[in-house]
């Protein structure tokens, strides 16, 4: 059982540009449907274990708009330990660029 999940809710064509290390991709467009799947079906389809309700789930997208929606969707689906990385990908990239300059 993982302690927490970092979920990138951008679409696959955006994720090609890069993801935050350790993140998994679950696009916002399929999130609600995905959270209704049986754990086995979920893993088969998305390649990682379905987060369990008490687990910490952190959402991010490009700029924080979709991750806010994703947090609401997860809340409605019984998840209680939800974090929204409001700065999302843009903030993370900026911080990484500062490190390397």
């Amino acid at each position: 059982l993982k302690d927490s999940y970092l979920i990138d809710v951008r679409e696959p064509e955006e994720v090609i540009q890069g993801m935050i290390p350790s993140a998994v991709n679950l696009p916002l467009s399929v999130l609600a449907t995905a959270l209704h799947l049986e754990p086995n079906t979920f893993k088969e389809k998305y390649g990682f274990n379905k987060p369990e309700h008490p687990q910490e789930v952190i959402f991010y997208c490009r700029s924080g708009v979709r991750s806010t929606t994703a947090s609401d969707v997860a809340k409605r689906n019984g998840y209680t330990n939800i974090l929204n990385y409001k700065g999302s990908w843009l903030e993370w990239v900026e911080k990484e660029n500062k490190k390397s300059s």
Side-chain angles (χ1 to χ4, degrees):
L1 196 66
K2 281 178 71 161
D3 293 337
S4 65
Y5 277 87
L6 178 59
I7 301 180
D8 185 331
V9 296
R10 296 175 299 163
E11 293 303 313
E13 60 272 13
E14 294 175 272
V15 172
I16 294 166
Q17 304 161 6
M19 276 168 81
I20 298 176
S22 86
V24 289
N25 179 227
L26 189 59
L28 179 60
S29 56
V30 301
L31 183 64
T33 317
L35 295 179
H36 285 276
L37 295 173
E38 288 299 315
N40 291 346
T41 314
F42 182 98
K43 183 163 183 160
E44 230 165 75
K45 199 164 179 169
Y46 301 106
F48 61 96
N49 289 322
K50 182 178 174 180
E52 292 182 23
H53 288 151
Q55 280 177 292
E56 183 179 81
V57 182
I58 307 152
F59 290 109
Y60 79 94
C61 55
R62 193 183 78 90
S63 62
V65 177
R66 283 172 286 177
S67 58
T68 303
T69 307
S71 301
D72 292 340
V73 170
K75 204 171 285 165
R76 283 200 298 271
N77 282 282
Y79 289 84
T80 50
N81 200 350
I82 304 160
L83 294 171
N84 177 13
Y85 178 17
K86 287 196 170 73
S88 279
W89 176 247
L90 295 178
E91 180 183 290
W92 189 83
V93 169
E94 199 178 301
K95 284 183 177 165
E96 285 299 297
N97 290 343
K98 282 191 183 124
K99 272 188 218 166
S100 59
S101 56

